[in-house]
């Protein structure tokens, strides 16, 4: 049983992102970058499944600038066996990422792709779904519990009015929610061991995958600050505030 875990290098979630002065995107030069939090859940789950003896190999893959190697080293230190770096200077949208992942799914033949439900930088929440559609594989998104069997995976997914339990025949795509598990910290000995684990490097431009963008960012702005709410004691007080303070009725 082999699991492929795509991991993305994003602005660390403890850092307040700064918008570039030309409003074309978020400033990342000199900013602390880390593994996308949902991808940490995916690696953690894969490692737990390996510890339970249900998985033989975990392959982590990252597509991005060469520095994504740091993110892969974190994945290896958490317990992945091998890493694949697909290096590119381009910022890729979900469709292009899914095409690159499809290329490596065909090459690596995993039984399960376990990935984040969304990347915390652009919150697209699309790559897993596009990949499943392209491969014609079953998908389970927003997964908060997972049981792996030899030819299917049973998942519980978070939906608006509760939880949905699904059985997906393998191979399948599963995207993780934060509730799935508590990702471990990589210990120092494991960080050292990870340095000896293999990282295969590919240059995206040499793969023949079409990454032509279909989306163009026109402008990025900070959202306006949320005004503090007020708790009123009566309907009369609410109506008074709406009439005389907010002046909306
Ligand atoms: P998104 O659809 O962009 O919100 O991302 C969903 C998931 O796709 C992430 O949690 C990752 O598992 C994966 N992913 C997105 N972009 C990349 C990337 N550049 N490299 C590796 N995995 C990625």
């Amino acid at each position: 049983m082999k699991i492929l875990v795509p991991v993305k290098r994003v602005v660390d979630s403890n850092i307040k992102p700064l918008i570039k002065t030309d409003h074309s995107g978020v400033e990342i030069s000199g900013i602390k970058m880390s593994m996308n939090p949902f991808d940490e859940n995916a690696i953690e789950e894969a490692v737990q499944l390996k510890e339970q003896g249900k998985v033989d190999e975990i392959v982590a893959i990252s597509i991005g600038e060469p520095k994504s190697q740091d993110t892969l080293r974190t994945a290896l230190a958490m317990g992945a066996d091998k890493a694949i770096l697909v290096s590119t200077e381009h910022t890729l949208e979900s469709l292009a990422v899914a095409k690159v992942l499809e290329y490596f799914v065909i090459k690596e033949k995993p039984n399960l792709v376990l990935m984040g439900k969304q990347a915390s930088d652009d919150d697209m929440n699309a790559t897993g779904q596009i990949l499943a559609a392209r491969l014609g594989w079953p998908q389970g998104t927003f997964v908060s519990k997972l049981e792996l069997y030899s030819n299917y995976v049973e998942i519980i997914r978070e939906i608006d009015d509760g939880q949905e339990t699904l059985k997906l025949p393998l191979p399948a795509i599963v995207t993780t929610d934060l509730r799935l598990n508590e990702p471990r910290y990589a210990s120092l000995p494991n960080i050292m061991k990870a340095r000896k684990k293999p990282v295969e490097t590919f240059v995206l431009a040499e793969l023949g995958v079409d990454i032509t963008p279909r989306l163009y960012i026109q402008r990025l702005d900070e959202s306006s600050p949320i005004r503090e709410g007020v708790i009123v004691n009566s309907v009369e007080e609410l109506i008074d505030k709406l009439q005389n303070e907010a002046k909306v009725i």
Side-chain angles (χ1 to χ4, degrees):
M1 181 75 72
K2 182 172 179 175
I3 304 190
L4 183 72
V5 186
V7 292
K8 188 175 187 187
R9 180 175 182 261
V10 296
V11 172
D12 187 278
S13 48
N14 295 312
I15 299 221
K16 184 179 177 334
L18 294 175
I19 292 177
K20 287 183 183 169
T21 46
D22 65 359
H23 294 267
S24 62
V26 168
E27 191 58 72
I28 56 164
S29 64
I31 303 288
K32 181 167 187 254
M33 306 290 281
S34 298
M35 186 189 297
N36 178 40
F38 299 102
D39 303 350
E40 291 181 334
N41 295 104
I43 289 281
E44 174 63 37
E45 195 66 17
V47 174
Q48 288 187 17
L49 290 167
K50 194 173 174 201
E51 287 168 348
Q52 291 162 23
K54 293 180 175 170
V55 167
D56 307 297
E57 190 183 13
I58 303 166
V59 180
I61 178 168
S62 195
I63 305 146
E65 54 179 320
K67 275 283 208 182
S68 302
Q69 169 125 217
D70 298 348
T71 311
L72 289 169
R73 289 279 167 213
T74 305
L76 292 169
M78 287 173 75
D81 300 290
K82 173 178 114 170
I84 298 173
L85 171 66
V86 187
S87 132
T88 177
E89 297 301 331
H90 294 285
T91 302
L92 303 190
E93 61 191 49
S94 300
L95 174 62
V97 174
K99 287 180 182 173
V100 179
L101 293 177
E102 181 186 9
Y103 177 101
F104 283 93
V105 165
I106 292 166
K107 186 170 184 298
E108 292 288 326
K109 301 183 182 54
N111 307 84
L112 180 68
V113 179
L114 196 49
M115 53 201 291
K117 70 170 182 182
Q118 70 193 61
S120 61
D121 48 7
D122 48 18
D123 281 342
M124 288 300 283
N125 187 348
T127 309
Q129 293 89 327
I130 299 173
L131 180 62
R134 290 186 68 85
L135 291 164
W137 286 13
Q139 60 177 295
T141 49
F142 312 103
V143 168
S144 58
K145 193 164 182 339
L146 178 159
E147 284 292 339
L148 184 62
Y149 299 92
S150 60
N151 57 354
Y152 68 95
V153 58
E154 194 171 278
I155 51 139
I156 295 183
R157 56 189 301 267
E158 311 256 315
I159 55 173
D160 279 351
D161 50 4
Q163 296 184 329
E164 185 177 49
T165 305
L166 294 177
K167 193 169 156 179
L168 316 176
L170 296 176
I173 311 280
V174 165
T175 76
T176 59
D177 220 321
L178 287 182
R179 242 189 289 267
L180 181 61
N181 55 40
E182 187 69 43
R184 70 194 64 194
Y185 286 105
S187 66
L188 196 56
N190 285 345
I191 293 172
M192 303 306 282
K193 268 193 238 159
R195 291 192 184 165
K196 296 205 182 89
K197 291 186 181 176
V199 178
E200 290 176 11
T201 303
F202 296 83
V203 176
L204 176 53
E206 292 170 2
L207 298 181
V209 176
D210 174 20
I211 56 157
T212 316
R214 307 302 207 263
L215 306 171
Y216 298 92
I217 294 178
Q218 291 192 310
R219 189 184 155 91
L220 198 67
D221 284 292
E222 267 199 52
S223 46
S224 38
I226 298 167
R227 280 169 56 199
E228 210 175 312
V230 183
I231 294 179
V232 291
N233 295 314
S234 64
V235 173
E236 290 71 33
E237 191 186 346
L238 173 66
I239 290 171
D240 176 65
K241 282 193 186 293
L242 291 174
Q243 273 174 345
N244 301 316
E245 285 182 28
K247 297 194 192 319
V248 289
I249 59 170

